[in-house]
Amino acid sequence: MNPALQGLITVLLGVGGCVGYFYFSNQILDRVIFPAKGPNAGDNINRANQVRPWLFLFPAIFALGLYLGYPVFETLRLSLTDRAQGGAFVGLANYSQMMAEPKFWEAIRNNMLWLIVVPAASTAFGLLVAQLTDRIAWGNIAKSLIFMPMAISFVGASVIFKLIYDARPADVPQIGVMNAIWMSFEGGPMSILMLRILPTIILAAFAGIVGYVVYLSARAIIEPGRQKSVGMSLLRAVVVVGGAWLVWLSLKSILGVWTVELAYGVPQQWLTIPFWNSFFLMVVLIWIQTGFAMVILSAALRGIPEETIEAAVIDGANPFDIFFRIKVPQIMGTIMVVWTTITLVVLKVFDIVFAMTNGQWETQVLANYMYDKLFRANDWGVGSASAIVIMLLVTPILVWNVYQARKEMR
């Protein structure tokens, strides 16, 4: 059958089926089950009105149960069985095997690194762009350009950045932007400026910004007389620990910038450099998610009452005080929603790693580890166990997100 005709028939059947379901279910409810006639007409109408919402929700609930609920329970069941033994129940043996594998802990470590860097960087860049673009005449054009990567799939973005990181032999023109820039350095003063002094300044500035955020979070935790919810306290504690680690890593990297031997004239295989290659992969997701954060946070910034900003200006507050002490606290709820939403994306990241490194060179993440076990090793037990681990990591954040959304609606 012609694909276009098949698609048209599918749409017609889908739409027609929905219309038919709602129409005939309504007729059966009103005319057969609870007819609005006879001595019990009033009670029947009330009962029908109570049942009707659930009748209309049934297709969605059924679909969610079929495509979300059933897979969860089936995955849990498979994680407790062994395919090699004909699906025999083995208890937690798959989990024990999974935790004994170095690749699993490599995936956990990398996922934690992604969780610390990507949501923070995406949210920070999005907030920065949202603040700056509101002050320039061509701000909407800038926002459109920054939001544009959101329209690109993860695989498409991975292909783009794989070309950026591409390496060719030294005697061949480099098509990768990174190596084209790298090959232009020869060890002179410009090389020292660009490859040692500039990275030092950037890392020091990053450490300073993160350190300031750590200071604010720590002060909010220990400040007496301030109402603190358990969720926010835990989140601030995570920020303090993760931020302190990032500060230490930045300072350590500054030392590495000045001690590492730079291979001038030799194209670099950026995606094969352990540890740092994870950051090269993170850049792809940050590039995509910054646009999302920018749009949401820009709307939040515009919703801040002008009176509060004017009052701060009258009191002599400088732009930094206005931003950090007036604006950011008022949109903190939105910032946390953006942060946690990106965190959910990070926990499930697969396409970027699969397309760019396939988990090689110490870049493994949980989703790719699960794929390897399920479809390459053909081990449904360990693969399902890793899927359950991902679900357990995602669930608390999802619940907290829903709780915050409902809290704001009250």
PDB file of all heavy atoms in Angstrom, residues 214-247:
ATOM      1  N   VAL A 214      27.857  28.192  45.816  1.00  0.00           N
ATOM      2  CA  VAL A 214      28.024  27.298  46.973  1.00  0.00           C
ATOM      3  C   VAL A 214      27.885  28.084  48.272  1.00  0.00           C
ATOM      4  O   VAL A 214      27.224  27.643  49.224  1.00  0.00           O
ATOM      5  CB  VAL A 214      29.397  26.594  46.909  1.00  0.00           C
ATOM      6  CG1 VAL A 214      29.705  25.877  48.223  1.00  0.00           C
ATOM      7  CG2 VAL A 214      29.429  25.605  45.757  1.00  0.00           C
ATOM      8  N   TYR A 215      28.483  29.269  48.304  1.00  0.00           N
ATOM      9  CA  TYR A 215      28.395  30.114  49.498  1.00  0.00           C
ATOM     10  C   TYR A 215      26.947  30.499  49.799  1.00  0.00           C
ATOM     11  O   TYR A 215      26.491  30.408  50.948  1.00  0.00           O
ATOM     12  CB  TYR A 215      29.254  31.361  49.299  1.00  0.00           C
ATOM     13  CG  TYR A 215      28.944  32.482  50.264  1.00  0.00           C
ATOM     14  CD1 TYR A 215      29.325  32.405  51.605  1.00  0.00           C
ATOM     15  CD2 TYR A 215      28.262  33.624  49.831  1.00  0.00           C
ATOM     16  CE1 TYR A 215      29.026  33.433  52.489  1.00  0.00           C
ATOM     17  CE2 TYR A 215      27.965  34.653  50.705  1.00  0.00           C
ATOM     18  CZ  TYR A 215      28.345  34.555  52.033  1.00  0.00           C
ATOM     19  OH  TYR A 215      28.044  35.568  52.902  1.00  0.00           O
ATOM     20  N   LEU A 216      26.209  30.916  48.757  1.00  0.00           N
ATOM     21  CA  LEU A 216      24.810  31.298  48.959  1.00  0.00           C
ATOM     22  C   LEU A 216      23.977  30.106  49.429  1.00  0.00           C
ATOM     23  O   LEU A 216      23.125  30.242  50.316  1.00  0.00           O
ATOM     24  CB  LEU A 216      24.233  31.856  47.655  1.00  0.00           C
ATOM     25  CG  LEU A 216      24.786  33.201  47.165  1.00  0.00           C
ATOM     26  CD1 LEU A 216      24.149  33.585  45.838  1.00  0.00           C
ATOM     27  CD2 LEU A 216      24.552  34.297  48.196  1.00  0.00           C
ATOM     28  N   SER A 217      24.227  28.942  48.836  1.00  0.00           N
ATOM     29  CA  SER A 217      23.463  27.747  49.215  1.00  0.00           C
ATOM     30  C   SER A 217      23.787  27.325  50.642  1.00  0.00           C
ATOM     31  O   SER A 217      22.887  26.971  51.418  1.00  0.00           O
ATOM     32  CB  SER A 217      23.766  26.601  48.243  1.00  0.00           C
ATOM     33  OG  SER A 217      23.423  26.951  46.922  1.00  0.00           O
ATOM     34  N   ALA A 218      25.067  27.365  50.997  1.00  0.00           N
ATOM     35  CA  ALA A 218      25.460  26.985  52.356  1.00  0.00           C
ATOM     36  C   ALA A 218      24.896  27.961  53.376  1.00  0.00           C
ATOM     37  O   ALA A 218      24.430  27.560  54.452  1.00  0.00           O
ATOM     38  CB  ALA A 218      26.986  26.928  52.452  1.00  0.00           C
ATOM     39  N   ARG A 219      24.913  29.242  53.035  1.00  0.00           N
ATOM     40  CA  ARG A 219      24.372  30.242  53.957  1.00  0.00           C
ATOM     41  C   ARG A 219      22.874  30.056  54.155  1.00  0.00           C
ATOM     42  O   ARG A 219      22.351  30.220  55.265  1.00  0.00           O
ATOM     43  CB  ARG A 219      24.659  31.649  53.422  1.00  0.00           C
ATOM     44  CG  ARG A 219      24.355  32.755  54.432  1.00  0.00           C
ATOM     45  CD  ARG A 219      24.703  34.113  53.880  1.00  0.00           C
ATOM     46  NE  ARG A 219      23.809  34.498  52.795  1.00  0.00           N
ATOM     47  CZ  ARG A 219      23.847  35.686  52.193  1.00  0.00           C
ATOM     48  NH1 ARG A 219      24.754  36.580  52.558  1.00  0.00           N
ATOM     49  NH2 ARG A 219      23.013  35.966  51.219  1.00  0.00           N
ATOM     50  N   ALA A 220      22.179  29.691  53.065  1.00  0.00           N
ATOM     51  CA  ALA A 220      20.734  29.461  53.175  1.00  0.00           C
ATOM     52  C   ALA A 220      20.426  28.252  54.056  1.00  0.00           C
ATOM     53  O   ALA A 220      19.387  28.205  54.716  1.00  0.00           O
ATOM     54  CB  ALA A 220      20.138  29.259  51.783  1.00  0.00           C
ATOM     55  N   ILE A 221      21.347  27.274  54.067  1.00  0.00           N
ATOM     56  CA  ILE A 221      21.122  26.076  54.889  1.00  0.00           C
ATOM     57  C   ILE A 221      21.319  26.374  56.373  1.00  0.00           C
ATOM     58  O   ILE A 221      20.524  25.957  57.221  1.00  0.00           O
ATOM     59  CB  ILE A 221      22.065  24.938  54.438  1.00  0.00           C
ATOM     60  CG1 ILE A 221      21.697  24.468  53.024  1.00  0.00           C
ATOM     61  CG2 ILE A 221      21.999  23.758  55.412  1.00  0.00           C
ATOM     62  CD1 ILE A 221      22.664  23.462  52.449  1.00  0.00           C
ATOM     63  N   ILE A 222      22.376  27.114  56.680  1.00  0.00           N
ATOM     64  CA  ILE A 222      22.741  27.311  58.090  1.00  0.00           C
ATOM     65  C   ILE A 222      22.175  28.598  58.681  1.00  0.00           C
ATOM     66  O   ILE A 222      22.292  28.816  59.887  1.00  0.00           O
ATOM     67  CB  ILE A 222      24.278  27.321  58.250  1.00  0.00           C
ATOM     68  CG1 ILE A 222      24.894  28.499  57.482  1.00  0.00           C
ATOM     69  CG2 ILE A 222      24.871  26.008  57.772  1.00  0.00           C
ATOM     70  CD1 ILE A 222      26.398  28.620  57.654  1.00  0.00           C
ATOM     71  N   GLU A 223      21.561  29.430  57.847  1.00  0.00           N
ATOM     72  CA  GLU A 223      21.040  30.705  58.347  1.00  0.00           C
ATOM     73  C   GLU A 223      19.907  30.464  59.337  1.00  0.00           C
ATOM     74  O   GLU A 223      18.912  29.816  59.008  1.00  0.00           O
ATOM     75  CB  GLU A 223      20.545  31.563  57.183  1.00  0.00           C
ATOM     76  CG  GLU A 223      20.185  32.982  57.595  1.00  0.00           C
ATOM     77  CD  GLU A 223      19.799  33.818  56.383  1.00  0.00           C
ATOM     78  OE1 GLU A 223      19.579  33.230  55.309  1.00  0.00           O
ATOM     79  OE2 GLU A 223      19.725  35.042  56.517  1.00  0.00           O
ATOM     80  N   PRO A 224      20.024  30.966  60.560  1.00  0.00           N
ATOM     81  CA  PRO A 224      18.969  30.733  61.559  1.00  0.00           C
ATOM     82  C   PRO A 224      17.728  31.581  61.280  1.00  0.00           C
ATOM     83  O   PRO A 224      17.795  32.633  60.651  1.00  0.00           O
ATOM     84  CB  PRO A 224      19.642  31.168  62.870  1.00  0.00           C
ATOM     85  CG  PRO A 224      20.664  32.184  62.449  1.00  0.00           C
ATOM     86  CD  PRO A 224      21.150  31.747  61.102  1.00  0.00           C
ATOM     87  N   GLY A 225      16.594  31.084  61.769  1.00  0.00           N
ATOM     88  CA  GLY A 225      15.349  31.833  61.665  1.00  0.00           C
ATOM     89  C   GLY A 225      14.739  31.859  60.287  1.00  0.00           C
ATOM     90  O   GLY A 225      13.844  32.644  60.008  1.00  0.00           O
ATOM     91  N   ARG A 226      15.198  30.993  59.401  1.00  0.00           N
ATOM     92  CA  ARG A 226      14.668  30.969  58.034  1.00  0.00           C
ATOM     93  C   ARG A 226      13.934  29.655  57.807  1.00  0.00           C
ATOM     94  O   ARG A 226      14.445  28.589  58.143  1.00  0.00           O
ATOM     95  CB  ARG A 226      15.811  31.107  57.026  1.00  0.00           C
ATOM     96  CG  ARG A 226      15.353  31.150  55.577  1.00  0.00           C
ATOM     97  CD  ARG A 226      16.527  31.494  54.680  1.00  0.00           C
ATOM     98  NE  ARG A 226      16.135  31.554  53.287  1.00  0.00           N
ATOM     99  CZ  ARG A 226      16.933  31.955  52.306  1.00  0.00           C
ATOM    100  NH1 ARG A 226      18.158  32.360  52.580  1.00  0.00           N
ATOM    101  NH2 ARG A 226      16.511  31.975  51.065  1.00  0.00           N
ATOM    102  N   GLN A 227      12.727  29.746  57.251  1.00  0.00           N
ATOM    103  CA  GLN A 227      11.954  28.540  56.993  1.00  0.00           C
ATOM    104  C   GLN A 227      12.621  27.729  55.887  1.00  0.00           C
ATOM    105  O   GLN A 227      12.973  28.259  54.841  1.00  0.00           O
ATOM    106  CB  GLN A 227      10.525  28.893  56.579  1.00  0.00           C
ATOM    107  CG  GLN A 227       9.686  29.446  57.715  1.00  0.00           C
ATOM    108  CD  GLN A 227       8.245  29.664  57.294  1.00  0.00           C
ATOM    109  OE1 GLN A 227       7.923  29.656  56.119  1.00  0.00           O
ATOM    110  NE2 GLN A 227       7.388  29.854  58.276  1.00  0.00           N
ATOM    111  N   LYS A 228      12.789  26.438  56.161  1.00  0.00           N
ATOM    112  CA  LYS A 228      13.473  25.585  55.195  1.00  0.00           C
ATOM    113  C   LYS A 228      12.651  24.319  54.980  1.00  0.00           C
ATOM    114  O   LYS A 228      12.357  23.600  55.935  1.00  0.00           O
ATOM    115  CB  LYS A 228      14.870  25.199  55.697  1.00  0.00           C
ATOM    116  CG  LYS A 228      15.748  26.359  56.141  1.00  0.00           C
ATOM    117  CD  LYS A 228      17.090  25.845  56.633  1.00  0.00           C
ATOM    118  CE  LYS A 228      17.934  26.969  57.210  1.00  0.00           C
ATOM    119  NZ  LYS A 228      17.456  27.436  58.506  1.00  0.00           N
ATOM    120  N   SER A 229      12.281  24.063  53.740  1.00  0.00           N
ATOM    121  CA  SER A 229      11.629  22.796  53.431  1.00  0.00           C
ATOM    122  C   SER A 229      12.691  21.718  53.291  1.00  0.00           C
ATOM    123  O   SER A 229      13.852  22.004  52.961  1.00  0.00           O
ATOM    124  CB  SER A 229      10.824  22.910  52.130  1.00  0.00           C
ATOM    125  OG  SER A 229      11.693  23.107  51.033  1.00  0.00           O
ATOM    126  N   VAL A 230      12.294  20.492  53.552  1.00  0.00           N
ATOM    127  CA  VAL A 230      13.244  19.381  53.480  1.00  0.00           C
ATOM    128  C   VAL A 230      13.797  19.242  52.063  1.00  0.00           C
ATOM    129  O   VAL A 230      14.999  19.050  51.860  1.00  0.00           O
ATOM    130  CB  VAL A 230      12.560  18.066  53.923  1.00  0.00           C
ATOM    131  CG1 VAL A 230      13.520  16.895  53.762  1.00  0.00           C
ATOM    132  CG2 VAL A 230      12.093  18.175  55.366  1.00  0.00           C
ATOM    133  N   GLY A 231      12.902  19.365  51.071  1.00  0.00           N
ATOM    134  CA  GLY A 231      13.332  19.226  49.681  1.00  0.00           C
ATOM    135  C   GLY A 231      14.358  20.269  49.285  1.00  0.00           C
ATOM    136  O   GLY A 231      15.394  19.951  48.685  1.00  0.00           O
ATOM    137  N   MET A 232      14.099  21.533  49.638  1.00  0.00           N
ATOM    138  CA  MET A 232      15.031  22.598  49.280  1.00  0.00           C
ATOM    139  C   MET A 232      16.347  22.457  50.032  1.00  0.00           C
ATOM    140  O   MET A 232      17.418  22.732  49.488  1.00  0.00           O
ATOM    141  CB  MET A 232      14.403  23.963  49.570  1.00  0.00           C
ATOM    142  CG  MET A 232      13.336  24.385  48.577  1.00  0.00           C
ATOM    143  SD  MET A 232      13.953  24.454  46.874  1.00  0.00           S
ATOM    144  CE  MET A 232      15.166  25.768  47.006  1.00  0.00           C
ATOM    145  N   SER A 233      16.278  22.010  51.282  1.00  0.00           N
ATOM    146  CA  SER A 233      17.512  21.818  52.050  1.00  0.00           C
ATOM    147  C   SER A 233      18.372  20.725  51.431  1.00  0.00           C
ATOM    148  O   SER A 233      19.594  20.873  51.309  1.00  0.00           O
ATOM    149  CB  SER A 233      17.175  21.460  53.501  1.00  0.00           C
ATOM    150  OG  SER A 233      16.490  22.527  54.132  1.00  0.00           O
ATOM    151  N   LEU A 234      17.724  19.630  51.019  1.00  0.00           N
ATOM    152  CA  LEU A 234      18.472  18.558  50.368  1.00  0.00           C
ATOM    153  C   LEU A 234      19.061  19.031  49.044  1.00  0.00           C
ATOM    154  O   LEU A 234      20.212  18.716  48.709  1.00  0.00           O
ATOM    155  CB  LEU A 234      17.557  17.352  50.134  1.00  0.00           C
ATOM    156  CG  LEU A 234      17.172  16.540  51.375  1.00  0.00           C
ATOM    157  CD1 LEU A 234      16.146  15.475  51.010  1.00  0.00           C
ATOM    158  CD2 LEU A 234      18.402  15.889  51.998  1.00  0.00           C
ATOM    159  N   LEU A 235      18.263  19.794  48.308  1.00  0.00           N
ATOM    160  CA  LEU A 235      18.745  20.298  47.022  1.00  0.00           C
ATOM    161  C   LEU A 235      19.931  21.231  47.221  1.00  0.00           C
ATOM    162  O   LEU A 235      20.929  21.160  46.488  1.00  0.00           O
ATOM    163  CB  LEU A 235      17.605  21.020  46.302  1.00  0.00           C
ATOM    164  CG  LEU A 235      17.896  21.484  44.876  1.00  0.00           C
ATOM    165  CD1 LEU A 235      18.217  20.296  43.989  1.00  0.00           C
ATOM    166  CD2 LEU A 235      16.721  22.258  44.318  1.00  0.00           C
ATOM    167  N   ARG A 236      19.830  22.103  48.217  1.00  0.00           N
ATOM    168  CA  ARG A 236      20.948  23.011  48.491  1.00  0.00           C
ATOM    169  C   ARG A 236      22.184  22.233  48.935  1.00  0.00           C
ATOM    170  O   ARG A 236      23.313  22.598  48.587  1.00  0.00           O
ATOM    171  CB  ARG A 236      20.535  24.024  49.564  1.00  0.00           C
ATOM    172  CG  ARG A 236      19.527  25.064  49.080  1.00  0.00           C
ATOM    173  CD  ARG A 236      19.366  26.183  50.088  1.00  0.00           C
ATOM    174  NE  ARG A 236      18.421  27.190  49.614  1.00  0.00           N
ATOM    175  CZ  ARG A 236      17.193  27.348  50.079  1.00  0.00           C
ATOM    176  NH1 ARG A 236      16.742  26.546  51.048  1.00  0.00           N
ATOM    177  NH2 ARG A 236      16.404  28.289  49.597  1.00  0.00           N
ATOM    178  N   ALA A 237      21.962  21.172  49.697  1.00  0.00           N
ATOM    179  CA  ALA A 237      23.098  20.347  50.119  1.00  0.00           C
ATOM    180  C   ALA A 237      23.784  19.707  48.917  1.00  0.00           C
ATOM    181  O   ALA A 237      25.019  19.651  48.840  1.00  0.00           O
ATOM    182  CB  ALA A 237      22.629  19.269  51.100  1.00  0.00           C
ATOM    183  N   VAL A 238      22.974  19.240  47.963  1.00  0.00           N
ATOM    184  CA  VAL A 238      23.538  18.671  46.736  1.00  0.00           C
ATOM    185  C   VAL A 238      24.321  19.733  45.965  1.00  0.00           C
ATOM    186  O   VAL A 238      25.411  19.475  45.442  1.00  0.00           O
ATOM    187  CB  VAL A 238      22.416  18.075  45.855  1.00  0.00           C
ATOM    188  CG1 VAL A 238      22.956  17.680  44.489  1.00  0.00           C
ATOM    189  CG2 VAL A 238      21.787  16.870  46.539  1.00  0.00           C
ATOM    190  N   VAL A 239      23.760  20.946  45.915  1.00  0.00           N
ATOM    191  CA  VAL A 239      24.445  22.047  45.225  1.00  0.00           C
ATOM    192  C   VAL A 239      25.774  22.360  45.901  1.00  0.00           C
ATOM    193  O   VAL A 239      26.794  22.583  45.232  1.00  0.00           O
ATOM    194  CB  VAL A 239      23.541  23.299  45.192  1.00  0.00           C
ATOM    195  CG1 VAL A 239      24.325  24.517  44.700  1.00  0.00           C
ATOM    196  CG2 VAL A 239      22.336  23.063  44.293  1.00  0.00           C
ATOM    197  N   VAL A 240      25.778  22.354  47.227  1.00  0.00           N
ATOM    198  CA  VAL A 240      27.012  22.646  47.965  1.00  0.00           C
ATOM    199  C   VAL A 240      28.072  21.585  47.679  1.00  0.00           C
ATOM    200  O   VAL A 240      29.225  21.907  47.360  1.00  0.00           O
ATOM    201  CB  VAL A 240      26.723  22.733  49.481  1.00  0.00           C
ATOM    202  CG1 VAL A 240      28.027  22.764  50.271  1.00  0.00           C
ATOM    203  CG2 VAL A 240      25.894  23.973  49.789  1.00  0.00           C
ATOM    204  N   VAL A 241      27.679  20.320  47.778  1.00  0.00           N
ATOM    205  CA  VAL A 241      28.643  19.238  47.559  1.00  0.00           C
ATOM    206  C   VAL A 241      29.121  19.226  46.105  1.00  0.00           C
ATOM    207  O   VAL A 241      30.328  19.173  45.826  1.00  0.00           O
ATOM    208  CB  VAL A 241      28.018  17.876  47.933  1.00  0.00           C
ATOM    209  CG1 VAL A 241      28.961  16.739  47.571  1.00  0.00           C
ATOM    210  CG2 VAL A 241      27.692  17.835  49.420  1.00  0.00           C
ATOM    211  N   GLY A 242      28.158  19.275  45.173  1.00  0.00           N
ATOM    212  CA  GLY A 242      28.530  19.266  43.760  1.00  0.00           C
ATOM    213  C   GLY A 242      29.328  20.492  43.368  1.00  0.00           C
ATOM    214  O   GLY A 242      30.306  20.402  42.617  1.00  0.00           O
ATOM    215  N   GLY A 243      28.937  21.650  43.897  1.00  0.00           N
ATOM    216  CA  GLY A 243      29.666  22.878  43.592  1.00  0.00           C
ATOM    217  C   GLY A 243      31.075  22.862  44.147  1.00  0.00           C
ATOM    218  O   GLY A 243      32.025  23.300  43.481  1.00  0.00           O
ATOM    219  N   ALA A 244      31.218  22.354  45.367  1.00  0.00           N
ATOM    220  CA  ALA A 244      32.561  22.261  45.954  1.00  0.00           C
ATOM    221  C   ALA A 244      33.451  21.344  45.124  1.00  0.00           C
ATOM    222  O   ALA A 244      34.642  21.628  44.915  1.00  0.00           O
ATOM    223  CB  ALA A 244      32.456  21.751  47.394  1.00  0.00           C
ATOM    224  N   TRP A 245      32.854  20.260  44.632  1.00  0.00           N
ATOM    225  CA  TRP A 245      33.624  19.350  43.778  1.00  0.00           C
ATOM    226  C   TRP A 245      34.035  20.040  42.480  1.00  0.00           C
ATOM    227  O   TRP A 245      35.160  19.879  42.001  1.00  0.00           O
ATOM    228  CB  TRP A 245      32.795  18.101  43.488  1.00  0.00           C
ATOM    229  CG  TRP A 245      33.495  17.113  42.604  1.00  0.00           C
ATOM    230  CD1 TRP A 245      34.481  16.232  42.948  1.00  0.00           C
ATOM    231  CD2 TRP A 245      33.262  16.914  41.203  1.00  0.00           C
ATOM    232  NE1 TRP A 245      34.872  15.499  41.860  1.00  0.00           N
ATOM    233  CE2 TRP A 245      34.147  15.893  40.775  1.00  0.00           C
ATOM    234  CE3 TRP A 245      32.396  17.496  40.282  1.00  0.00           C
ATOM    235  CZ2 TRP A 245      34.176  15.449  39.460  1.00  0.00           C
ATOM    236  CZ3 TRP A 245      32.434  17.053  38.973  1.00  0.00           C
ATOM    237  CH2 TRP A 245      33.311  16.042  38.574  1.00  0.00           C
ATOM    238  N   LEU A 246      33.130  20.824  41.908  1.00  0.00           N
ATOM    239  CA  LEU A 246      33.448  21.541  40.676  1.00  0.00           C
ATOM    240  C   LEU A 246      34.538  22.587  40.905  1.00  0.00           C
ATOM    241  O   LEU A 246      35.406  22.790  40.050  1.00  0.00           O
ATOM    242  CB  LEU A 246      32.191  22.204  40.113  1.00  0.00           C
ATOM    243  CG  LEU A 246      31.197  21.294  39.389  1.00  0.00           C
ATOM    244  CD1 LEU A 246      29.967  22.085  38.975  1.00  0.00           C
ATOM    245  CD2 LEU A 246      31.835  20.649  38.168  1.00  0.00           C
ATOM    246  N   VAL A 247      34.487  23.257  42.051  1.00  0.00           N
ATOM    247  CA  VAL A 247      35.531  24.236  42.367  1.00  0.00           C
ATOM    248  C   VAL A 247      36.881  23.538  42.476  1.00  0.00           C
ATOM    249  O   VAL A 247      37.890  24.000  41.922  1.00  0.00           O
ATOM    250  CB  VAL A 247      35.193  24.980  43.677  1.00  0.00           C
ATOM    251  CG1 VAL A 247      36.381  25.820  44.139  1.00  0.00           C
ATOM    252  CG2 VAL A 247      33.969  25.869  43.481  1.00  0.00           C
TER     253      VAL A 247
END
